[in-house]
Amino acid sequence: MKKLLYIISITFLLVSSMSCEDFLDETAKSSLTPENSFTTAEDWDAALIAAYAKLQEVTGEKLPIVLGEFGTDEVQPYDLSWAAYVELMYYTYTANHPFLYNHYVFCYEGVKCANIIVDMPDNTSISNEQKNSMIAQARFLRGIFYFELARMYGRVPIWTSASVDKSEIAKPRSESVDEVYELITEDLHYAAENLPEQWTESNDKGRATSYAANALLGRVYLQWGKSAKALEALNKVIGNFHLYQNYADIFDPEHKNEEYENIFEVQWSHSGYWGLEGSIQSSYWGPRGGGGPTAGGFGWGGFGPTQYLYDSYDNNDRRKTEFFWTEYKGIVQSPPATKKYYDANYGNQIEDDDLNYIYMRYADVLLMASEALNNLDDSSGKKYDYLNEVRTRAGLASITESDGLSVSEFSDVLLEERLHELCCERHRRFDLIRFRKLNEQVQTAYPGNGINIGSNQKTVYPIPQIAIDANDAMKGDQNPGY
């Protein structure tokens, strides 16, 4: 998708009638409104692309990038001089943690941008087909942003319109997290029903599809604890994608938006300028010890895989060598560095690689379907088929009914398989919460480190304090224990 996303996003937000960054503050920033600013399909599409742009900030910016990883058994900070890193790893963070605030704001900026499209006036001069497509894409995006919020913070305020009445600017948190999940699933069902299975024009590659919406529905329903509904959505995806035989192809920029294994990707592109359109993944996840991500250098070295993660692989597992470097350019990597975020062309340029962030891929769908079937105690054998499709690519022996695994034992196998297949892809925290294994795995990975996870910390982060302070309707309504 042709983007220049940051430039478009900034321009678009300047013409928005209110700023999201101030939590829907009532102060008008401009007399321009969607009704008098957007007159053509191109105008509205630029506004939609601005909503897509917010995915970059939510999933790949410098601070939120680690929120699904730190405090788990698979990723740890190596730079312990930064208190923000240490607090997340050791569970000493508070509601004032800056990473949480950034993530929270980015999500609501995304909600605001998506709502402007959802609220597209009836009399706008674009075709009904274009309008329906844009609204479906916007609702897909809004579903992502609210899913990010719900699984991070639990109950959150819900705004579903860009035109916020003064009485709704200070809005309380939802009465239950179910209320947020209901909105998310409504949005994603709408998207699944109104989006194409794929986009035919090359310039449209990277936009949301019905497959992406159904795959995300599966993820949402699993996290919500509704396995039957998850399976129903995932079944609409299974059989329509494949697994690359070469693991590097999953992340290689040469295979961007190929829709072979990768179902939905957050778009990034090397631009030649630090901090514009290139991804930071290579810089932040890259090998350490070579002077940082300058020309000829390595990664920043601030965080990466744990030794526990690397050691947990069977030596016959292809992923142990395909996913990790134990040495890079003569420098030993201990713990090993991940190979997933390697851009052979631009990887040693500061925060300007060409890597997309793979938000959803087929291996994840197969493992989620296996999980849902196991939760339902299904006896068809399909849970083994889906699990073994992933294991076979890794060169591992199949697990079959003859192994006699109980539902609980199969669940343990599946959780480990998710670790080995999806490591460092921003899933682990939510997997461990869903499987109720967060504290157990953290203690296993860091024995004797004195990490104490409070009962409140096993499910959600605190609502950022600055958000509560800025919203009179939220005063005193913090997640328990924070």
Side-chain angles (χ1 to χ4, degrees):
M1 194 194 305
K2 292 185 177 178
K3 306 185 307 304
L4 292 179
L5 287 177
Y6 282 124
I7 295 173
I8 292 172
S9 179
I10 291 169
T11 303
F12 174 60
L13 290 177
L14 286 174
V15 302
S16 295
S17 59
M18 295 180 182
S19 165
C20 319
E21 189 160 348
D22 293 327
F23 304 100
L24 300 166
D25 186 272
E26 67 186 34
T27 304
K29 302 303 181 184
S30 169
S31 61
L32 296 175
T33 66
E35 287 79 4
N36 62 29
S37 300
F38 310 133
T39 58
T40 68
E42 289 74 20
D43 292 337
W44 282 105
D45 197 50
L48 176 60
I49 289 173
Y52 275 104
K54 292 301 169 185
L55 289 178
Q56 291 182 330
E57 295 177 327
V58 169
T59 62
E61 272 295 325
K62 296 178 185 178
L63 305 186
I65 194 173
V66 299
L67 287 177
E69 304 284 4
F70 281 12
T72 74
D73 52 358
E74 74 170 15
V75 172
Q76 69 181 85
Y78 304 139
D79 179 6
L80 298 182
S81 65
W82 194 359
Y85 276 9
V86 175
E87 289 166 4
L88 289 172
M89 176 177 177
Y90 284 87
Y91 287 81
T92 58
Y93 55 81
T94 69
N96 292 308
H97 197 286
F99 294 12
L100 301 177
Y101 167 70
N102 276 268
H103 176 266
Y104 189 90
V105 169
F106 290 153
C107 286
Y108 273 112
E109 286 180 340
V111 167
K112 170 69 177 182
C113 295
N115 280 344
I116 288 174
I117 306 299
V118 175
D119 282 354
M120 190 182 298
D122 291 335
N123 62 353
T124 188
S125 58
I126 66 174
S127 70
N128 286 335
E129 182 180 1
Q130 290 173 312
K131 180 180 178 181
N132 292 339
S133 172
M134 290 183 188
I135 290 175
Q137 291 175 73
R139 292 189 68 171
F140 172 85
L141 295 170
R142 188 171 70 180
I144 287 183
F145 296 128
Y146 272 122
F147 182 47
E148 287 281 332
L149 289 162
R151 66 180 183 170
M152 285 279 196
Y153 313 106
R155 295 185 300 112
V156 293
I158 296 175
W159 284 278
T160 57
S161 175
S163 300
V164 178
D165 185 85
K166 288 183 178 180
S167 64
E168 292 188 332
I169 289 170
K171 178 171 278 194
R173 298 170 68 189
S174 57
E175 292 186 4
S176 68
V177 72
D178 289 345
E179 187 179 349
V180 189
Y181 274 111
E182 284 165 4
L183 173 64
I184 295 166
T185 53
E186 286 172 8
D187 277 347
L188 294 178
H189 276 295
Y190 183 91
E193 292 165 3
N194 290 278
L195 289 173
E197 293 181 351
Q198 61 179 190
W199 296 86
T200 56
E201 296 295 327
S202 60
N203 288 351
D204 291 328
K205 294 295 185 180
R207 293 181 186 267
T209 65
S210 61
Y211 288 135
N214 277 311
L216 184 55
L217 267 171
R219 180 180 291 172
V220 170
Y221 275 127
L222 269 184
Q223 204 70 33
W224 194 10
K226 297 181 181 294
S227 294
K229 288 185 176 294
L231 187 62
E232 182 180 345
L234 295 169
N235 280 338
K236 296 176 182 178
V237 181
I238 291 173
N240 294 292
F241 292 83
H242 315 274
L243 299 181
Y244 287 112
Q245 287 308 301
N246 180 9
Y247 282 106
D249 290 345
I250 300 169
F251 310 96
D252 191 333
E254 295 297 321
H255 296 279
K256 277 186 173 184
N257 305 315
E258 202 168 56
E259 298 175 274
Y260 187 85
E261 176 166 349
N262 299 338
I263 300 168
F264 184 69
E265 307 178 26
V266 178
Q267 304 296 300
W268 297 85
S269 62
H270 170 74
S271 63
Y273 297 95
W274 181 11
L276 185 57
E277 272 300 286
S279 165
I280 70 172
Q281 294 177 96
S282 183
S283 294
Y284 276 71
W285 288 100
R288 309 171 300 282
T294 55
F298 304 169
W300 287 122
F303 61 83
T306 61
Q307 191 66 45
Y308 170 83
L309 168 61
Y310 179 75
D311 291 343
S312 70
Y313 284 84
D314 188 284
N315 287 333
N316 295 323
D317 192 327
R318 285 181 56 204
R319 294 168 295 195
K320 192 168 188 176
T321 54
E322 296 282 351
F323 286 171
F324 301 97
W325 276 301
T326 56
E327 180 180 300
Y328 185 77
K329 292 188 176 181
I331 296 180
V332 173
Q333 302 295 306
S334 181
T338 181
K339 289 182 180 179
K340 286 186 173 181
Y341 307 114
Y342 176 70
D343 182 349
N345 294 320
Y346 306 111
N348 55 14
Q349 298 190 27
I350 300 175
E351 298 181 20
D352 191 28
D353 66 56
D354 201 37
L355 300 170
N356 282 350
Y357 168 67
I358 313 303
Y359 195 88
M360 180 73 67
R361 61 186 177 96
Y362 190 50
D364 186 13
V365 166
L366 292 171
L367 293 175
M368 287 192 294
S370 181
E371 178 183 341
L373 288 163
N374 188 57
N375 291 343
L376 297 168
D377 199 14
D378 178 81
S379 59
S380 68
K382 286 183 179 179
K383 69 179 183 181
Y384 295 97
D385 295 339
Y386 298 151
L387 173 66
N388 289 328
E389 189 169 347
V390 176
R391 288 177 59 86
T392 297
R393 177 171 62 170
L396 298 176
S398 293
I399 293 173
T400 67
E401 292 182 74
S402 64
D403 291 313
L405 299 180
S406 66
V407 168
S408 177
E409 290 168 336
F410 187 89
S411 179
D412 289 342
V413 169
L414 188 60
L415 180 60
E416 183 173 56
E417 196 62 39
R418 289 188 63 82
L419 173 67
H420 293 162
E421 178 67 28
L422 304 170
C423 63
C424 305
E425 295 182 39
R426 205 169 162 268
H427 300 297
R428 188 59 172 172
R429 171 180 170 82
F430 311 110
D431 285 353
L432 291 174
I433 288 172
R434 189 170 68 256
F435 281 76
R436 295 179 174 84
K437 297 275 190 176
L438 181 61
N439 185 59
E440 176 183 326
Q441 286 302 117
V442 167
Q443 301 307 326
T444 299
Y446 311 106
N449 276 29
I451 298 176
N452 296 307
I453 303 179
S455 58
N456 56 311
Q457 296 173 310
K458 292 178 183 178
T459 53
V460 291
Y461 284 120
I463 299 287
Q465 189 60 45
I466 194 169
I468 292 178
D469 293 342
N471 186 341
D472 289 339
M474 289 174 61
K475 293 291 174 63
D477 190 8
Q478 180 57 273
N479 284 326
Y482 291 108

